[in-house]
Amino acid sequence: MIAVDWGTTRLRAWLVDGSGAVLDRVTGDDGIMAVPPGGFPAVFRRHVGAWLDRWPDAPVVMAGMVGSRNGWVEAPYLRCPVAIDALAGGFAAVDAGGGRRAAIVPGLTARDAAGAPDVMRGEETKIAGCGVSDGLVVMPGTHSKWARIEAGRIAGFSTFMTGDFFGALKDHTILGKLAEEPADPAGFARGLDAARRPGGLTHVAFSARTLVLMGELPPAQVGPYLSGLLIGTEIDAGLAGAGAAAAIALVADGVFAQSYTEALASRGRACRLIDPEDAVVAGLRRLAAV
Amino acid sequence: MIAVDWGTTRLRAWLVDGSGAVLDRVTGDDGIMAVPPGGFPAVFRRHVGAWLDRWPDAPVVMAGMVGSRNGWVEAPYLRCPVAIDALAGGFAAVDAGGGRRAAIVPGLTARDAAGAPDVMRGEETKIAGCGVSDGLVVMPGTHSKWARIEAGRIAGFSTFMTGDFFGALKDHTILGKLAEEPADPAGFARGLDAARRPGGLTHVAFSARTLVLMGELPPAQVGPYLSGLLIGTEIDAGLAGAGAAAAIALVADGVFAQSYTEALASRGRACRLIDPEDAVVAGLRRLAAV
């Protein structure tokens, strides 16, 4: 099959054989924001045209913002709770050129207890590739997603704007003014502790400044402290919505894998680490086979 | 007396007679950030030299960042709890030219139950001018301050980065992308309600986007919604640290007075409104008389 993750800023595609082995891969900067009106088929063929011609019977399945209102075609959101395999029932179809059909995985919406909506697009496919039938799937990032899986169904999920807040607060509030580089990672654990203090984020975050003014936090620890505070806040809220015994799958690599593993451990929780690329490919493969 | 509020971006001074009436006033953009090294006496005389010469016996008292490490001279922080009138015991003295002495009101530090520090500089003088001996003094702004006054003492206080967060989140995260101007103020009350939802700010703030995507929040309401969410978060945390019966003095004018009065009313709380300029002048006058 041809598996594609086409997001806002990037396109990634994998050629996958029947056993799930990745035979070839391409990566491009042609995120959907960079595609001109009507340009999706041409951009798509530029990246994977050789595969399409060589493997005329290979199913093509795509996930990510390519299925959004600003994408190739809108794959309308499905509503949680939803069985993971039911995502295949929401596929949107496009013509990838010469009548070749390609499917786009739909995103998901969820409502919290107060009726407030949440959305994801792309992460549902990672969930499908995690092999989790009961437990939490945590996907850190600019907008982290926490999904609750119950008996093979995606029961609901919550978004936390952790990465987006971090950039805005560090670079566009008074908090970053005292920060020094290179960062001292020891501030991270202190930020994780600070997340437990009362008063809420707009209060506690100010301690990233006052602790420095008081000589109690080295300026090189400000960035990691703020990161720990935001990730700790996310973890505590995410865990509050789940049972104490829920198994946790963490879909992350690199610095996210490290910091979220440390953050979860600070709350006494272990996790199973899953590579994000592996999760996307496995999810697309699973849904293609439904 | 000559009363001065010299902050980071602005200098304001008042000529006040023995009855407390303001006889004259000046305002300048020469905040302490704009003063060159060693330049404080000259900038000061440029603004109020005529008063100094005309009233050689008038006491001169200043509040604000002029007493910070980057100001004219550092007036070291006093620690809460502290009697309001004890602020005068922490005056730092400077020579305003020709031997004319001027006093600078010290800032305050406080520690919360977890030992985390907080700081204010300038707001302590507004507190002194409020005439509150028991209750809460709420001073909205970029960094809002909530002070708890008990039997004429400033027992403690908390900072909330409400205004600073608002600017950073609206202009430097995904949340502002869908906002439209002119703003529709009806979003404010909805944001106040949203502040009560569980999950914490990094989660709930995302609803400023998802509600628009779902067609449930008009884009013109995004800015006021975000403002209501942040102010509601501040109000709930500030009230949580105080008794249900505590009297509330709100030191604010203009849009702050309006939005915080509405926010407090949404939680069933009334407040006494105090003009910030009146509070500063009254506070400087009170401390000058100690």
Side-chain angles (χ1 to χ4, degrees), chain B residues 61-117:
Chain B
V61 185
M62 300 188 273
M65 295 305 283
V66 66
S68 71
R69 219 171 289 172
N70 300 317
W72 194 334
V73 72
E74 185 170 4
Y77 293 111
L78 299 187
R79 279 190 194 191
C80 290
V82 64
I84 291 174
D85 287 335
L87 286 165
F91 278 172
V94 293
D95 183 343
R100 184 69 170 271
R101 185 183 176 281
I104 302 179
V105 182
L108 291 179
T109 62
R111 298 268 171 183
D112 68 14

Short mmCIF file of all heavy atoms in Angstrom, two decimals, chain B residues 61-117:
data_model
loop_
_atom_site.label_atom_id
_atom_site.label_comp_id
_atom_site.label_asym_id
_atom_site.label_seq_id
_atom_site.Cartn_x
_atom_site.Cartn_y
_atom_site.Cartn_z
N VAL B 61 7.60 62.07 47.56
CA VAL B 61 7.53 60.62 47.74
C VAL B 61 7.19 59.98 46.39
O VAL B 61 6.28 60.43 45.69
CB VAL B 61 6.49 60.21 48.81
CG1 VAL B 61 6.54 58.70 49.04
CG2 VAL B 61 6.74 60.95 50.11
N MET B 62 7.94 58.91 46.07
CA MET B 62 7.78 58.23 44.78
C MET B 62 7.48 56.75 44.98
O MET B 62 7.98 56.13 45.93
CB MET B 62 9.07 58.36 43.97
CG MET B 62 9.47 59.80 43.68
SD MET B 62 10.86 59.89 42.52
CE MET B 62 12.20 59.79 43.71
N ALA B 63 6.72 56.21 44.05
CA ALA B 63 6.43 54.77 44.07
C ALA B 63 6.67 54.21 42.67
O ALA B 63 6.71 54.95 41.69
CB ALA B 63 4.99 54.53 44.49
N GLY B 64 6.82 52.90 42.60
CA GLY B 64 6.93 52.23 41.29
C GLY B 64 8.33 51.71 41.03
O GLY B 64 9.17 51.61 41.92
N MET B 65 8.57 51.38 39.77
CA MET B 65 9.82 50.73 39.38
C MET B 65 11.05 51.62 39.57
O MET B 65 12.18 51.16 39.47
CB MET B 65 9.74 50.23 37.94
CG MET B 65 8.70 49.14 37.73
SD MET B 65 8.93 47.70 38.81
CE MET B 65 10.30 46.90 37.98
N VAL B 66 10.82 52.92 39.86
CA VAL B 66 11.92 53.81 40.19
C VAL B 66 12.71 53.28 41.39
O VAL B 66 13.89 53.60 41.55
CB VAL B 66 11.39 55.24 40.45
CG1 VAL B 66 10.50 55.28 41.70
CG2 VAL B 66 12.52 56.25 40.53
N GLY B 67 12.07 52.44 42.20
CA GLY B 67 12.75 51.85 43.37
C GLY B 67 13.28 50.46 43.11
O GLY B 67 13.68 49.76 44.05
N SER B 68 13.29 50.04 41.85
CA SER B 68 13.77 48.69 41.53
C SER B 68 15.27 48.71 41.25
O SER B 68 15.90 49.77 41.21
CB SER B 68 13.04 48.15 40.30
OG SER B 68 13.46 48.86 39.14
N ARG B 69 15.81 47.54 41.04
CA ARG B 69 17.24 47.39 40.75
C ARG B 69 17.66 48.25 39.55
O ARG B 69 18.78 48.72 39.48
CB ARG B 69 17.52 45.91 40.45
CG ARG B 69 18.81 45.38 40.99
CD ARG B 69 18.84 43.85 40.82
NE ARG B 69 17.91 43.18 41.73
CZ ARG B 69 17.64 41.87 41.69
NH1 ARG B 69 18.22 41.11 40.76
NH2 ARG B 69 16.81 41.33 42.55
N ASN B 70 16.75 48.43 38.60
CA ASN B 70 17.06 49.23 37.41
C ASN B 70 16.59 50.67 37.54
O ASN B 70 16.55 51.40 36.55
CB ASN B 70 16.41 48.60 36.18
CG ASN B 70 16.90 47.18 35.94
OD1 ASN B 70 18.09 46.90 36.06
ND2 ASN B 70 15.97 46.28 35.65
N GLY B 71 16.18 51.08 38.74
CA GLY B 71 15.65 52.41 38.94
C GLY B 71 16.70 53.39 39.46
O GLY B 71 17.91 53.20 39.25
N TRP B 72 16.22 54.42 40.14
CA TRP B 72 17.09 55.48 40.65
C TRP B 72 17.98 54.91 41.75
O TRP B 72 19.20 55.02 41.73
CB TRP B 72 16.20 56.60 41.19
CG TRP B 72 16.89 57.91 41.45
CD1 TRP B 72 18.21 58.11 41.74
CD2 TRP B 72 16.29 59.19 41.44
NE1 TRP B 72 18.45 59.43 41.92
CE2 TRP B 72 17.27 60.14 41.73
CE3 TRP B 72 14.97 59.65 41.22
CZ2 TRP B 72 17.01 61.51 41.82
CZ3 TRP B 72 14.73 61.00 41.31
CH2 TRP B 72 15.74 61.93 41.60
N VAL B 73 17.33 54.28 42.71
CA VAL B 73 18.06 53.55 43.74
C VAL B 73 17.13 52.42 44.17
O VAL B 73 15.92 52.55 44.08
CB VAL B 73 18.42 54.46 44.94
CG1 VAL B 73 17.18 54.81 45.76
CG2 VAL B 73 19.47 53.82 45.83
N GLU B 74 17.74 51.30 44.58
CA GLU B 74 16.87 50.18 44.95
C GLU B 74 16.32 50.38 46.36
O GLU B 74 17.07 50.62 47.30
CB GLU B 74 17.65 48.85 44.87
CG GLU B 74 16.74 47.66 45.13
CD GLU B 74 17.40 46.32 44.84
OE1 GLU B 74 18.60 46.31 44.51
OE2 GLU B 74 16.72 45.29 44.95
N ALA B 75 15.01 50.33 46.45
CA ALA B 75 14.34 50.33 47.76
C ALA B 75 14.00 48.88 48.05
O ALA B 75 13.04 48.35 47.50
CB ALA B 75 13.08 51.19 47.70
N PRO B 76 14.79 48.20 48.89
CA PRO B 76 14.62 46.74 49.03
C PRO B 76 13.20 46.36 49.44
O PRO B 76 12.55 47.07 50.20
CB PRO B 76 15.64 46.39 50.13
CG PRO B 76 16.67 47.48 50.08
CD PRO B 76 15.88 48.71 49.72
N TYR B 77 12.76 45.22 48.93
CA TYR B 77 11.43 44.71 49.24
C TYR B 77 11.24 44.51 50.73
O TYR B 77 12.15 44.03 51.42
CB TYR B 77 11.23 43.33 48.58
CG TYR B 77 11.20 43.34 47.07
CD1 TYR B 77 12.23 42.78 46.33
CD2 TYR B 77 10.11 43.85 46.38
CE1 TYR B 77 12.20 42.74 44.94
CE2 TYR B 77 10.07 43.82 44.98
CZ TYR B 77 11.12 43.27 44.27
OH TYR B 77 11.07 43.23 42.90
N LEU B 78 10.06 44.86 51.25
CA LEU B 78 9.64 44.41 52.58
C LEU B 78 8.87 43.10 52.41
O LEU B 78 8.34 42.83 51.34
CB LEU B 78 8.74 45.46 53.25
CG LEU B 78 9.36 46.85 53.49
CD1 LEU B 78 8.39 47.70 54.33
CD2 LEU B 78 10.71 46.74 54.19
N ARG B 79 8.83 42.33 53.49
CA ARG B 79 8.16 41.03 53.41
C ARG B 79 6.79 41.07 54.05
O ARG B 79 6.64 41.56 55.16
CB ARG B 79 8.96 39.99 54.20
CG ARG B 79 10.12 39.42 53.47
CD ARG B 79 10.65 38.23 54.26
NE ARG B 79 11.97 37.88 53.75
CZ ARG B 79 12.61 36.77 54.07
NH1 ARG B 79 12.06 35.91 54.95
NH2 ARG B 79 13.78 36.49 53.56
N CYS B 80 5.83 40.46 53.37
CA CYS B 80 4.51 40.28 53.97
C CYS B 80 4.58 39.14 54.99
O CYS B 80 5.36 38.21 54.78
CB CYS B 80 3.47 39.92 52.90
SG CYS B 80 3.08 41.30 51.82
N PRO B 81 3.76 39.16 56.05
CA PRO B 81 2.80 40.22 56.36
C PRO B 81 3.49 41.47 56.87
O PRO B 81 4.50 41.39 57.57
CB PRO B 81 1.93 39.58 57.45
CG PRO B 81 2.80 38.55 58.09
CD PRO B 81 3.71 38.04 57.03
N VAL B 82 2.90 42.61 56.51
CA VAL B 82 3.48 43.89 56.92
C VAL B 82 2.34 44.90 57.12
O VAL B 82 1.37 44.91 56.34
CB VAL B 82 4.49 44.38 55.84
CG1 VAL B 82 3.78 44.67 54.53
CG2 VAL B 82 5.26 45.60 56.30
N ALA B 83 2.45 45.71 58.18
CA ALA B 83 1.46 46.76 58.38
C ALA B 83 1.59 47.78 57.24
O ALA B 83 2.71 48.09 56.83
CB ALA B 83 1.67 47.44 59.73
N ILE B 84 0.48 48.28 56.77
CA ILE B 84 0.51 49.20 55.63
C ILE B 84 1.42 50.39 55.94
O ILE B 84 2.27 50.77 55.12
CB ILE B 84 -0.92 49.66 55.26
CG1 ILE B 84 -1.71 48.48 54.68
CG2 ILE B 84 -0.87 50.82 54.27
CD1 ILE B 84 -3.17 48.76 54.39
N ASP B 85 1.28 50.97 57.13
CA ASP B 85 2.08 52.16 57.46
C ASP B 85 3.56 51.84 57.60
O ASP B 85 4.40 52.75 57.53
CB ASP B 85 1.55 52.83 58.72
CG ASP B 85 0.23 53.56 58.47
OD1 ASP B 85 -0.01 53.94 57.30
OD2 ASP B 85 -0.56 53.72 59.41
N ALA B 86 3.90 50.57 57.79
CA ALA B 86 5.31 50.20 57.90
C ALA B 86 6.05 50.38 56.58
O ALA B 86 7.28 50.37 56.54
CB ALA B 86 5.44 48.75 58.38
N LEU B 87 5.29 50.54 55.48
CA LEU B 87 5.95 50.82 54.19
C LEU B 87 6.83 52.06 54.30
O LEU B 87 7.90 52.14 53.68
CB LEU B 87 4.90 51.03 53.08
CG LEU B 87 4.17 49.76 52.59
CD1 LEU B 87 2.94 50.13 51.78
CD2 LEU B 87 5.12 48.90 51.75
N ALA B 88 6.37 53.03 55.10
CA ALA B 88 7.15 54.27 55.23
C ALA B 88 8.49 54.01 55.90
O ALA B 88 9.47 54.74 55.67
CB ALA B 88 6.35 55.31 56.01
N GLY B 89 8.55 52.97 56.73
CA GLY B 89 9.81 52.63 57.38
C GLY B 89 10.83 52.05 56.41
O GLY B 89 12.02 51.96 56.74
N GLY B 90 10.38 51.67 55.22
CA GLY B 90 11.28 51.10 54.22
C GLY B 90 11.65 52.09 53.13
O GLY B 90 12.27 51.70 52.13
N PHE B 91 11.29 53.35 53.32
CA PHE B 91 11.64 54.37 52.31
C PHE B 91 13.13 54.35 52.00
O PHE B 91 13.97 54.30 52.90
CB PHE B 91 11.30 55.78 52.85
CG PHE B 91 9.86 56.18 52.70
CD1 PHE B 91 9.40 57.36 53.30
CD2 PHE B 91 8.95 55.41 52.00
CE1 PHE B 91 8.08 57.77 53.18
CE2 PHE B 91 7.61 55.81 51.87
CZ PHE B 91 7.18 56.99 52.47
N ALA B 92 13.45 54.42 50.72
CA ALA B 92 14.84 54.68 50.29
C ALA B 92 14.94 56.16 49.94
O ALA B 92 13.98 56.73 49.41
CB ALA B 92 15.18 53.82 49.08
N ALA B 93 16.07 56.75 50.27
CA ALA B 93 16.23 58.19 50.04
C ALA B 93 17.14 58.45 48.85
O ALA B 93 18.13 57.74 48.65
CB ALA B 93 16.79 58.86 51.29
N VAL B 94 16.79 59.46 48.04
CA VAL B 94 17.68 59.91 46.97
C VAL B 94 17.79 61.44 47.06
O VAL B 94 16.94 62.10 47.66
CB VAL B 94 17.16 59.52 45.56
CG1 VAL B 94 17.21 58.02 45.36
CG2 VAL B 94 15.76 60.07 45.33
N ASP B 95 18.86 61.94 46.47
CA ASP B 95 19.05 63.39 46.39
C ASP B 95 18.48 63.86 45.06
O ASP B 95 19.00 63.52 43.99
CB ASP B 95 20.54 63.72 46.48
CG ASP B 95 20.80 65.23 46.47
OD1 ASP B 95 19.89 66.01 46.08
OD2 ASP B 95 21.92 65.63 46.83
N ALA B 96 17.39 64.63 45.12
CA ALA B 96 16.72 65.08 43.91
C ALA B 96 17.36 66.34 43.34
O ALA B 96 16.79 66.99 42.47
CB ALA B 96 15.23 65.30 44.18
N GLY B 97 18.56 66.69 43.84
CA GLY B 97 19.28 67.88 43.34
C GLY B 97 19.32 68.96 44.40
O GLY B 97 18.30 69.23 45.06
N GLY B 98 20.51 69.52 44.61
CA GLY B 98 20.64 70.61 45.59
C GLY B 98 20.30 70.17 47.01
O GLY B 98 19.84 70.96 47.81
N GLY B 99 20.49 68.87 47.28
CA GLY B 99 20.25 68.40 48.64
C GLY B 99 18.79 68.11 48.94
O GLY B 99 18.45 67.69 50.04
N ARG B 100 17.93 68.30 47.95
CA ARG B 100 16.51 68.02 48.17
C ARG B 100 16.30 66.52 48.27
O ARG B 100 16.60 65.77 47.33
CB ARG B 100 15.70 68.59 47.01
CG ARG B 100 14.19 68.45 47.16
CD ARG B 100 13.66 69.33 48.29
NE ARG B 100 12.21 69.39 48.32
CZ ARG B 100 11.48 70.27 47.66
NH1 ARG B 100 12.06 71.17 46.88
NH2 ARG B 100 10.16 70.27 47.77
N ARG B 101 15.75 66.07 49.41
CA ARG B 101 15.58 64.65 49.65
C ARG B 101 14.25 64.18 49.05
O ARG B 101 13.23 64.86 49.16
CB ARG B 101 15.59 64.40 51.16
CG ARG B 101 15.55 62.95 51.56
CD ARG B 101 15.49 62.85 53.09
NE ARG B 101 15.35 61.47 53.55
CZ ARG B 101 14.21 60.79 53.54
NH1 ARG B 101 13.12 61.35 53.09
NH2 ARG B 101 14.18 59.53 53.99
N ALA B 102 14.29 63.02 48.41
CA ALA B 102 13.06 62.39 47.95
C ALA B 102 13.05 60.95 48.46
O ALA B 102 14.10 60.32 48.57
CB ALA B 102 12.97 62.41 46.43
N ALA B 103 11.85 60.48 48.79
CA ALA B 103 11.72 59.12 49.34
C ALA B 103 11.09 58.20 48.30
O ALA B 103 10.24 58.62 47.51
CB ALA B 103 10.85 59.15 50.59
N ILE B 104 11.53 56.96 48.29
CA ILE B 104 10.97 55.95 47.38
C ILE B 104 10.35 54.82 48.21
O ILE B 104 11.02 54.26 49.09
CB ILE B 104 12.04 55.38 46.43
CG1 ILE B 104 12.68 56.51 45.61
CG2 ILE B 104 11.42 54.33 45.51
CD1 ILE B 104 13.76 56.04 44.65
N VAL B 105 9.08 54.53 47.92
CA VAL B 105 8.36 53.48 48.65
C VAL B 105 8.92 52.12 48.25
O VAL B 105 9.13 51.87 47.06
CB VAL B 105 6.85 53.53 48.33
CG1 VAL B 105 6.08 52.47 49.11
CG2 VAL B 105 6.29 54.93 48.60
N PRO B 106 9.16 51.23 49.22
CA PRO B 106 9.66 49.89 48.87
C PRO B 106 8.57 49.02 48.27
O PRO B 106 7.38 49.23 48.52
CB PRO B 106 10.11 49.33 50.21
CG PRO B 106 9.20 49.98 51.21
CD PRO B 106 8.97 51.39 50.68
N GLY B 107 8.97 48.03 47.50
CA GLY B 107 8.04 47.00 47.04
C GLY B 107 7.84 45.95 48.12
O GLY B 107 8.40 46.05 49.21
N LEU B 108 7.05 44.95 47.79
CA LEU B 108 6.75 43.89 48.76
C LEU B 108 7.03 42.51 48.16
O LEU B 108 6.88 42.31 46.95
CB LEU B 108 5.27 43.93 49.15
CG LEU B 108 4.78 45.11 49.99
CD1 LEU B 108 3.29 44.95 50.24
CD2 LEU B 108 5.55 45.17 51.31
N THR B 109 7.42 41.58 49.02
CA THR B 109 7.44 40.18 48.63
C THR B 109 6.47 39.41 49.52
O THR B 109 6.15 39.84 50.62
CB THR B 109 8.84 39.54 48.80
OG1 THR B 109 9.21 39.59 50.18
CG2 THR B 109 9.88 40.26 47.97
N ALA B 110 6.02 38.30 49.01
CA ALA B 110 5.16 37.41 49.79
C ALA B 110 5.55 35.98 49.43
O ALA B 110 6.13 35.73 48.37
CB ALA B 110 3.69 37.65 49.47
N ARG B 111 5.24 35.07 50.33
CA ARG B 111 5.44 33.63 50.05
C ARG B 111 4.10 32.95 50.18
O ARG B 111 3.35 33.21 51.12
CB ARG B 111 6.40 33.01 51.07
CG ARG B 111 7.80 33.61 51.06
CD ARG B 111 8.73 32.84 50.14
NE ARG B 111 9.99 33.57 49.97
CZ ARG B 111 10.98 33.16 49.18
NH1 ARG B 111 10.85 32.05 48.46
NH2 ARG B 111 12.09 33.85 49.07
N ASP B 112 3.79 32.06 49.23
CA ASP B 112 2.55 31.30 49.37
C ASP B 112 2.80 30.09 50.29
O ASP B 112 3.91 29.92 50.81
CB ASP B 112 1.98 30.90 48.01
CG ASP B 112 2.83 29.89 47.27
OD1 ASP B 112 3.73 29.27 47.89
OD2 ASP B 112 2.61 29.70 46.07
N ALA B 113 1.75 29.29 50.49
CA ALA B 113 1.85 28.19 51.44
C ALA B 113 2.97 27.22 51.06
O ALA B 113 3.57 26.58 51.92
CB ALA B 113 0.51 27.45 51.52
N ALA B 114 3.26 27.12 49.77
CA ALA B 114 4.31 26.21 49.31
C ALA B 114 5.69 26.87 49.34
O ALA B 114 6.68 26.26 48.94
CB ALA B 114 4.00 25.73 47.90
N GLY B 115 5.75 28.13 49.78
CA GLY B 115 7.04 28.81 49.86
C GLY B 115 7.45 29.53 48.60
O GLY B 115 8.54 30.11 48.55
N ALA B 116 6.60 29.53 47.59
CA ALA B 116 6.95 30.21 46.34
C ALA B 116 6.84 31.72 46.52
O ALA B 116 5.88 32.20 47.13
CB ALA B 116 6.04 29.74 45.21
N PRO B 117 7.81 32.46 45.98
CA PRO B 117 7.81 33.91 46.18
C PRO B 117 6.92 34.64 45.19
O PRO B 117 6.65 34.16 44.10
CB PRO B 117 9.28 34.27 45.94
CG PRO B 117 9.75 33.26 44.94
CD PRO B 117 8.99 31.98 45.23
#
